[in-house]
C-alpha cells in the first residue's frame, strides 16, 4: 500500500488517507487486528475469517485439528489465491504499520474541529443534519421530518443502528459473493482438468485402437503373401509341365518333318534297286514315328485355377460388426457362443444314439 504517493496526488491528505484505510470487505476503516496477505493487501482479521469460513465451510478451526490443512481463499482485491496453514487466518501476519497509522489517524481526527458540510444535511430542513432512518420509506432523514414533515407517520430508527445493520448485511453479501466466486473458480479448474484428462484419454485409446488395427493389417498382409505364394507355386508347376510337354512335341515334330523330307526324296528315286535298299527302313522309321506321337496330354480343365477362390463374405461381415463394447458384453458373447456349441454337441450325440 503506497500511502505516500496517494497522499501527494490528493489535495486533502486526510480524506485520501481514510480511503487507503478502508477494508474492501466491510467497507469501513480497518478494525484491529489487521492482517496482511501474501499479495500485500490488508484485511480486518474478522473479515478475512468471514470470507475464509465462507470459502471453506467444512474447516473445523484450530481446536483439535493439528494435523489438518488450513484451506484457501482468494484476495477480494486482486483474486490472488491465499493458501493457509493449519492455523487458518490466525496464521496470517499482523500489519502493525497499518494499525499504528489507524491509531494516529483517529487521534488526528478527534483533535480536528468538525467542518461544516462534513455531515449530510436535510434538503427540506437545511439546518438539520440527517440523523435518523425512515424504515417505512427506507431513506435517511432528519428529526424535523419525523416531527413535522413527510415522515411523521412513518416508523424510524437511529441512523447508526441501521447504518451498522446495512453495512453488516453488505459485508455478508460480499463474503457470500467472494465465496461463490471461489466455488465457481474451483468448478472452472475442475472442468479444465476434465478437458485435459479427456484429451489425454482420447489420445490413449486412439493409439490403442490404431495398434490393434495395425495387428489386423499385419495378419492380413501375412496371409495374403502366403496365399499368393501358393498360387505362384501352382502356376510354376503347371507352366513347367506345359513347357516340357511343348518341348517334347517340338522334338517329335522336328523328327517327323525330317522323315517326311527323306521320304519325299526317296519317292523321287527312279532306280528300283536303290529305292528298295532304303524304302524298307524308311517305312519302318515312319511307322515308329507315328507310334511316338502318343506323348503326354493334359486333362480337361488343367489350366483352371478356380480352386484358389476364397469366400471371405462371412469374414467381411464379422469385420463390419467391429465396434466398441464393454468387457461385460464380450463375456456375454463368449457365453452365448459356448452355449451354442454345447447345444450342437448334445444334438450330435442324440443323433448318434438314434
Amino acid at each position: 500500500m503506497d500511502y505516500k504517493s496517494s497522499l501527494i496526488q490528493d489535495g486533502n491528505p486526510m480524506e485520501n488517507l481514510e480511503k487507503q484505510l478502508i477494508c474492501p470487505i466491510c467497507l469501513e476503516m480497518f478494525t484491529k487486528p489487521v492482517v496482511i496477505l501474501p499479495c500485500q493487501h490488508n484485511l480486518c482479521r474478522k473479515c478475512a475469517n468471514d470470507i475464509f469460513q465462507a470459502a471453506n465451510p467444512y474447516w473445523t478451526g484450530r481446536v483439535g485439528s493439528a494435523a489438518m490443512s488450513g484451506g484457501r481463499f482468494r484476495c477480494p482485491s486482486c483474486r490472488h489465491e491465499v493458501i493457509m496453514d493449519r492455523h487458518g487466518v490466525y496464521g496470517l501476519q499482523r500489519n502493525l504499520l497499518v494499525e499504528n497509522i489507524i491509531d494516529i489517524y483517529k487521534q488526528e481526527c478527534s483533535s480536528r474541529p468538525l467542518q461544516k458540510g462534513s455531515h449530510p444535511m436535510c434538503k427540506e430542513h437545511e439546518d438539520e443534519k440527517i440523523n435518523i432512518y425512515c424504515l417505512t420509506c427506507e431513506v435517511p432523514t432528519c428529526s424535523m421530518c419525523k416531527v413535522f414533515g413527510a415522515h411523521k407517520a412513518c416508523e424510524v430508527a437511529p441512523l447508526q443502528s441501521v447504518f451498522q445493520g446495512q453495512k453488516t448485511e453488505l459485508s455478508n453479501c460480499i463474503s457470500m459473493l467472494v465465496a461463490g466466486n471461489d466455488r465457481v473458480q474451483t468448478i472452472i479448474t475442475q472442468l479444465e482438468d476434465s478437458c485435459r484428462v479427456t484429451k489425454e484419454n482420447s489420445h490413449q485409446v486412439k493409439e490403442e485402437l490404431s495398434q490393434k488395427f495395425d495387428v489386423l493389417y499385419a495378419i492380413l498382409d501375412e496371409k495374403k503373401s502366403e496365399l499368393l505364394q501358393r498360387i505362384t507355386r501352382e502356376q510354376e508347376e503347371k507352366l513347367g509341365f506345359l513347357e516340357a510337354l511343348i518341348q517334347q512335341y517340338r522334338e517329335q515334330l522336328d523328327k517327323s518333318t525330317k522323315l517326311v523330307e527323306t521320304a519325299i526324296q526317296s519317292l523321287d528315286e527312279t532306280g528300283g534297286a536303290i529305292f528298295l535298299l532304303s524304302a524298307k527302313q524308311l517305312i519302318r522309321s515312319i511307322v515308329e514315328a507315328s507310334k511316338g506321337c502318343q506323348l503326354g496330354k493334359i486333362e480337361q480343365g488343367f489350366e483352371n485355377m478356380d480352386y484358389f477362390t476364397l469366400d471371405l463374405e462371412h469374414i467381411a461381415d464379422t469385420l463390419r460388426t467391429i465396434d466398441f463394447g464393454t468387457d461385460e458384453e464380450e463375456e456375454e458373447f463368449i457365453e452365448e457362443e459356448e452355449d451354442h456349441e454345447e447345444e450342437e454337441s448334445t444334438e450330435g450325440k442324440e443323433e448318434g444314439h438314434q
Side-chain angles (χ1 to χ4, degrees):
M1 185 181 295
D2 192 354
Y3 299 102
K4 184 175 180 181
S5 60
S6 300
L7 294 175
I8 292 174
Q9 294 173 3
D10 200 311
N12 192 332
M14 294 301 293
E15 290 184 4
N16 190 66
L17 179 60
E18 182 180 0
K19 294 177 182 178
Q20 299 295 326
L21 298 176
I22 296 298
C23 173
I25 298 299
C26 63
L27 303 180
E28 295 184 2
M29 185 174 294
F30 289 118
T31 301
K32 296 190 293 185
V34 180
V35 294
I36 183 169
L37 304 181
C39 56
Q40 302 304 307
H41 289 112
N42 298 286
L43 294 174
C44 309
R45 187 158 69 186
K46 178 182 179 303
C47 296
N49 189 59
D50 288 342
I51 63 173
F52 173 73
Q53 292 293 341
N56 302 269
Y58 300 108
W59 194 76
T60 57
R62 294 183 297 169
V63 180
S65 59
M68 183 179 179
S69 62
R72 60 188 67 194
F73 68 94
R74 293 187 179 274
C75 171
S77 298
C78 66
R79 307 302 299 155
H80 176 78
E81 187 175 48
V82 181
I83 300 175
M84 314 298 295
D85 59 15
R86 61 188 179 87
H87 300 292
V89 296
Y90 294 92
L92 293 171
Q93 183 178 358
R94 290 179 62 176
N95 194 334
L96 299 179
L97 174 60
V98 173
E99 293 181 4
N100 292 335
I101 292 174
I102 292 172
D103 292 337
I104 295 172
Y105 173 81
K106 288 181 177 180
Q107 291 176 3
E108 180 67 19
C109 288
S110 62
S111 63
R112 291 166 62 89
L114 184 62
Q115 297 179 358
K116 184 177 181 180
S118 61
H119 194 94
M121 309 300 286
C122 179
K123 292 182 180 180
E124 298 295 330
H125 308 92
E126 296 180 356
D127 294 332
E128 293 293 327
K129 296 179 180 179
I130 293 177
N131 56 0
I132 59 174
Y133 187 84
C134 178
L135 299 176
T136 305
C137 302
E138 295 184 344
V139 293
T141 185
C142 72
S143 299
M144 294 298 292
C145 288
K146 169 61 179 171
V147 178
F148 304 105
H151 301 283
K152 63 182 179 180
C154 299
E155 182 182 358
V156 298
L159 188 66
Q160 191 64 25
S161 64
V162 178
F163 167 76
Q164 293 296 336
Q166 290 198 359
K167 279 219 168 183
T168 301
E169 183 180 356
L170 180 59
S171 177
N172 292 336
C173 290
I174 292 173
S175 298
M176 287 190 296
L177 185 59
V178 170
N181 291 342
D182 288 341
R183 285 192 290 270
V184 170
Q185 183 60 47
T186 300
I187 293 173
I188 291 173
T189 302
Q190 291 174 348
L191 292 175
E192 290 175 346
D193 290 341
S194 296
C195 288
R196 177 184 54 79
V197 174
T198 299
K199 291 179 181 178
E200 293 176 354
N201 291 340
S202 298
H203 178 73
Q204 180 180 351
V205 295
K206 284 180 180 179
E207 289 292 328
E208 293 175 356
L209 181 65
S210 297
Q211 291 175 3
K212 290 180 179 179
F213 271 86
D214 289 340
V215 172
L216 289 178
Y217 298 151
I219 293 173
L220 290 173
D221 286 338
E222 182 181 357
K223 196 63 179 178
K224 176 183 175 182
S225 298
E226 176 188 341
L227 296 178
L228 288 175
Q229 288 176 2
R230 287 173 58 184
I231 295 174
T232 301
R233 285 197 299 269
E234 183 70 10
Q235 172 188 338
E236 291 174 351
E237 289 177 3
K238 286 191 173 186
L239 291 178
F241 176 77
L242 290 172
E243 289 173 356
L245 198 58
I246 290 171
Q247 183 62 30
Q248 291 176 12
Y249 275 98
R250 281 178 177 170
E251 292 175 356
Q252 181 62 34
L253 181 60
D254 290 340
K255 291 179 180 179
S256 298
T257 302
K258 290 178 180 179
L259 283 175
V260 169
E261 292 175 354
T262 302
I264 292 172
Q265 291 176 0
S266 295
L267 290 175
D268 294 336
E269 185 64 47
T270 57
I274 296 174
F275 174 79
L276 291 174
L277 287 174
S278 60
K280 190 77 173 175
Q281 181 61 36
L282 186 59
I283 292 171
R284 190 180 297 113
S285 297
I286 292 173
V287 172
E288 290 295 331
S290 299
K291 292 180 180 179
C293 290
Q294 303 298 323
L295 298 176
K297 296 181 180 180
I298 60 173
E299 298 178 358
Q300 185 177 1
F302 177 81
E303 66 279 3
N304 191 1
M305 304 287 280
D306 291 344
Y307 49 87
F308 285 111
T309 302
L310 289 179
D311 182 11
L312 299 178
E313 188 61 30
H314 65 291
I315 297 178
D317 292 338
T318 302
L319 291 176
R320 292 189 188 99
T321 62
I322 292 176
D323 199 355
F324 300 108
T326 61
D327 294 338
E328 294 179 358
E329 293 175 348
E330 293 178 357
E331 291 176 359
E332 291 177 359
F333 177 76
I334 293 173
E335 291 176 358
E336 291 177 357
E337 289 292 325
E338 292 177 351
D339 293 340
H340 181 68
E341 291 177 359
E342 289 179 0
E343 290 176 359
E344 290 181 348
S345 176
T346 303
E347 291 176 358
K349 290 179 180 179
E350 291 177 354
E351 290 177 357
H353 289 309
Q354 291 176 357

